[in-house]
Amino acid sequence: MRTVLKYTAVLATAGLTLSVAACSSSSSGSSNSADKPLVVVASPTPHAQILDYIRDNLAAKAGLKLTVKEVSDYTLQNPAVQDGSADANYFQHVPYLTDFNKTHGTDIVPVEAVHLEPLGVYSKKVKKITDLAQGASVAVPNDATNEGRALKLLADNDVITLKAGAGTTATIHDIAANPKSLKFKELDAAQLPRALDDVDASVINGNNALGAGLKPATDAILLEKADGNPYANVLAVKKGHENDPRVQKLVQLLHSPEVKKYIEDTFQGSVIPAF
C-alpha cells in the first residue's frame, strides 16, 4: 500500500532530519540486506504511480519487497536518502541532483534514467505562445536547474534571448533580450499550476502538471522536445549503495517491457520512457 510520509523537519547542524519511524529498519546500516523491503520515496505523479504498479504486479515475482513512500514536497527526498530514512528516491533529473549535491554537500548518485516529463508552458488566457501580450506575466520554477530549463524552453522558441554561456542554472538575470517585456514571477514548482489563474502563462514541470489534472501532450501551448533531452528522471541512491541487489532488481523492473507499456498506456505521451 502506498503511504504518505509524515516528516518532522528539524533544522540542525547536520541539516534537515526526517522523522520516518516506519522506515527505521531501512537505515544505511541495513540497506544492503536483501531480505528487507527497499524503501523508495517518490513524488506522487507519475513516480509513485509507476512504483505502485511495480510493487503490485512485478515485484513479488522478481523477489523484491518494495515499500513506496509518497512525498509531495520534493525538497525532502534527497535528505531522506542522505540520512538513511529511505534507501532510494525517484523524483529528479541529473542537473537538479548535481546542483543539490553541490549546494548541500550530499553524496547521492543516479543509478538509471527512467522517464522524461516534458516541461511545458500552460495558459488559461492564450492559445499560442506568440499570443502573449506586451508586459504579460509568466511564472517559472524558482529552483536553480528548473528555472534554467524553463528559460531555455522559452529561448529555444524565440520568446526571450539568454546571455551567451547561460547554462542549466540560468536565472531571469541571464535574460539578454525580452522583446515583449514579459514580467517573470519565480515560484516554487509545486505552486505553478495554482498560479495559472493569476498569470498569463506558467512554465510547469510535467509531474506537477499531471498532478493538477493537466495533460502536457494536449494542454501545453509549448512543450519540451524529448530528443537529446538531459532531464530524464532517475532512480537515485546514496553513493556506495548502487549495487545493492534490491536496487538492481528495481532497476531491472523499471526498465522492463511491462513498465514501458504501462507508462505509454497510462500517460499518453505526457510521460515518456527514457529507456
Side-chain angles (χ1 to χ4, degrees):
M1 179 178 222
R2 187 202 301 174
T3 57
V4 179
L5 278 178
K6 296 185 182 297
Y7 288 105
T8 301
V10 180
L11 196 60
T13 304
L16 188 63
T17 299
L18 304 181
S19 176
V20 194
C23 304
S24 59
S25 64
S26 298
S27 65
S28 59
S30 61
S31 64
N32 290 323
S33 181
D35 61 345
K36 291 185 177 294
L38 181 71
V39 178
V40 184
V41 289
S43 295
T45 308
H47 310 79
Q49 284 179 259
I50 294 169
L51 292 172
D52 282 351
Y53 171 79
I54 290 173
R55 182 200 57 211
D56 296 342
N57 297 279
L58 305 174
K61 186 176 180 180
L64 175 66
K65 297 176 182 177
L66 180 62
T67 299
V68 183
K69 299 291 182 180
E70 179 184 311
V71 183
S72 296
D73 185 349
Y74 68 82
T75 64
L76 301 177
Q77 295 195 40
N78 280 327
V81 170
Q82 183 69 23
D83 71 14
S85 300
D87 300 301
N89 64 40
Y90 175 31
F91 78 99
Q92 64 192 324
H93 49 63
V94 171
Y96 177 88
L97 175 56
T98 301
D99 180 74
F100 188 94
N101 281 332
K102 181 179 178 180
T103 303
H104 296 84
T106 48
D107 57 351
I108 300 165
V109 296
V111 183
E112 289 288 348
V114 182
H115 75 268
L116 173 71
E117 301 162 20
L119 189 77
V121 180
Y122 299 81
S123 176
K124 290 185 176 181
K125 299 177 182 177
V126 298
K127 298 295 185 183
K128 297 183 296 183
I129 195 71
T130 52
D131 291 340
L132 284 174
Q134 286 289 131
S137 56
V138 179
V140 297
N142 65 2
D143 62 89
T145 53
N146 282 312
E147 182 169 12
R149 183 181 178 187
L151 295 174
K152 184 179 185 301
L153 175 62
L154 296 174
D156 287 346
N157 289 273
D158 302 320
V159 180
I160 59 172
T161 301
L162 293 174
K163 294 177 182 177
T168 57
T169 57
T171 72
I172 57 174
H173 302 294
D174 293 302
I175 297 174
N178 183 4
K180 289 194 173 183
S181 301
L182 300 176
K183 298 175 182 176
F184 289 96
K185 295 187 176 183
E186 299 166 294
L187 300 174
D188 181 83
Q191 297 178 9
L192 291 168
R194 295 192 292 272
L196 278 172
D197 290 328
D198 302 317
V199 297
D200 295 297
S202 186
V203 189
I204 305 176
N205 296 73
N207 64 311
N208 290 317
L210 290 169
L214 296 167
K215 297 180 179 179
T218 56
D219 293 339
I221 62 172
L222 192 62
L223 196 63
E224 219 174 21
K225 294 179 180 178
D227 293 345
N229 196 305
Y231 294 102
N233 282 206
V234 298
L235 182 72
V237 300
K238 191 171 183 179
K239 187 175 182 179
H241 294 181
E242 303 95 314
N243 295 320
D244 182 326
R246 300 169 303 158
V247 172
Q248 290 303 313
K249 283 182 181 179
L250 179 56
V251 167
Q252 292 174 9
L253 295 176
L254 283 166
H255 282 190
S256 67
E258 293 90 342
V259 168
K260 184 175 185 179
K261 185 176 187 301
Y262 173 78
I263 292 173
E264 292 173 342
D265 290 350
T266 303
F267 301 107
Q268 299 290 311
S270 296
V271 177
I272 305 168
F275 56 92

